[in-house]
Amino acid sequence: MAIEGIIGRKIGMTQVYAEDGRAIPATVIQAGPCVVVQRKSRKEHTNSKGQKRADLYEAVQIGLVEDRKVKKVTKPQAGHFKKTGGDVPPVRVLRELRVSDKDEAKVGDKISVEIFKAGDTVHIVGTSKGKGFQGVVKRHHFRGGAATHGSMFHRAPGSIGSSAFPSRVLKGMRAAGHMGAERVTQRNLTVVRVDGDKNILVVKGSVPGGSGGYVVIRKG
């Protein structure tokens, strides 16, 4: 199994027209190019300190190569990229993808958007838009109270438990709180177009997060 994923940055939404004239809502993603920064393997190998070790799983760590250079590199980051032997310059965005133990991927390998083609099914992982602190009506779709006749109960949460027994709020009670800014996976999206020269991927439908947010695209 080859590497079946790539890191991208959401550009925004648009619409494309099918051959029969239908307008298809679509999201445009700047996908890649990416480079393999680290290989994790169950097989015993020697690390940069000369120690023999083995990881608990098979995976590759990939980095998104962007136009802008990384200006400030911390010492831990510099050390991490130094282990590549100078093959990989420091990058801002790193993600891990699982691979099989038979995969021959190695540090320095390049990944482009051309691993996808029109018609492929993909899963896209991103961070949803943050909504801040929200009430129960917006956050949990509570119905709320009557709007008229002086009810004086409109968007309040209402009762949150019994008083005598159990004299506490039960765990899992839906209440107001922070909403959004969570990891979200949008599954089974269809690839509409692929532009290898410009590293552009167009998928049907919406993708988690706002424009400029980073996403991981995996084959379905």
Side-chain angles (χ1 to χ4, degrees):
M1 182 180 80
I3 300 173
E4 295 188 337
I6 197 169
I7 306 171
R9 189 171 62 86
K10 179 177 175 179
I11 296 176
M13 289 200 71
T14 184
Q15 61 182 17
V16 295
Y17 291 95
E19 293 180 0
D20 59 1
R22 290 180 299 112
I24 301 172
T27 303
V28 182
I29 302 170
Q30 185 89 37
C34 292
V35 62
V36 176
V37 178
Q38 184 182 21
R39 178 73 163 93
K40 296 193 174 184
S41 174
R42 291 193 186 96
K43 297 176 184 177
E44 192 174 83
H45 56 276
T46 305
N47 63 15
S48 59
K49 296 181 180 178
Q51 302 167 332
K52 290 186 176 181
R53 57 164 296 176
D55 300 298
L56 300 176
Y57 58 97
E58 298 282 339
V60 289
Q61 185 186 72
I62 62 174
L64 177 63
V65 180
E66 300 182 87
D67 294 334
R68 52 182 175 172
K69 291 184 178 180
V70 181
K71 293 182 179 179
K72 296 181 180 179
V73 181
T74 64
K75 285 187 177 180
Q77 287 175 328
H80 183 63
F81 287 97
K82 188 178 179 181
K83 292 175 185 176
T84 65
D87 297 334
V88 182
V91 294
R92 295 176 67 245
V93 184
L94 296 170
R95 297 290 187 271
E96 267 193 15
L97 296 172
R98 292 294 184 102
V99 294
S100 70
D101 53 356
K102 298 178 182 178
D103 197 298
E104 298 298 329
K106 59 186 183 297
V107 173
D109 285 356
K110 307 289 192 299
I111 310 166
S112 77
V113 72
E114 291 177 337
I115 62 174
F116 304 104
K117 63 181 185 299
D120 282 354
T121 300
V122 296
H123 306 319
I124 298 183
V125 183
T127 303
S128 63
K129 290 182 180 180
K131 305 292 183 182
F133 191 98
Q134 295 297 331
V136 291
V137 174
K138 184 179 178 73
R139 192 179 186 215
H140 296 297
H141 311 293
F142 279 22
R143 180 172 175 269
T148 58
H149 298 291
S151 74
M152 299 183 70
F153 178 81
H154 304 296
R155 299 175 69 91
S159 172
I160 59 171
S162 309
S163 57
F165 179 83
S167 298
R168 61 187 174 87
V169 178
L170 296 175
K171 287 184 178 180
M173 179 68 64
R174 291 179 299 169
H178 182 268
M179 182 179 176
E182 297 175 321
R183 176 190 167 102
V184 177
T185 302
Q186 197 82 352
R187 302 177 66 84
N188 300 321
L189 297 174
T190 304
V191 175
V192 179
R193 291 178 187 170
V194 178
D195 188 336
D197 295 331
K198 297 180 180 179
N199 297 309
I200 294 293
L201 184 72
V202 182
V203 296
K204 181 180 179 180
S206 61
V207 167
S211 299
Y214 293 100
V215 296
V216 175
I217 306 111
R218 294 184 290 111
K219 287 189 177 180

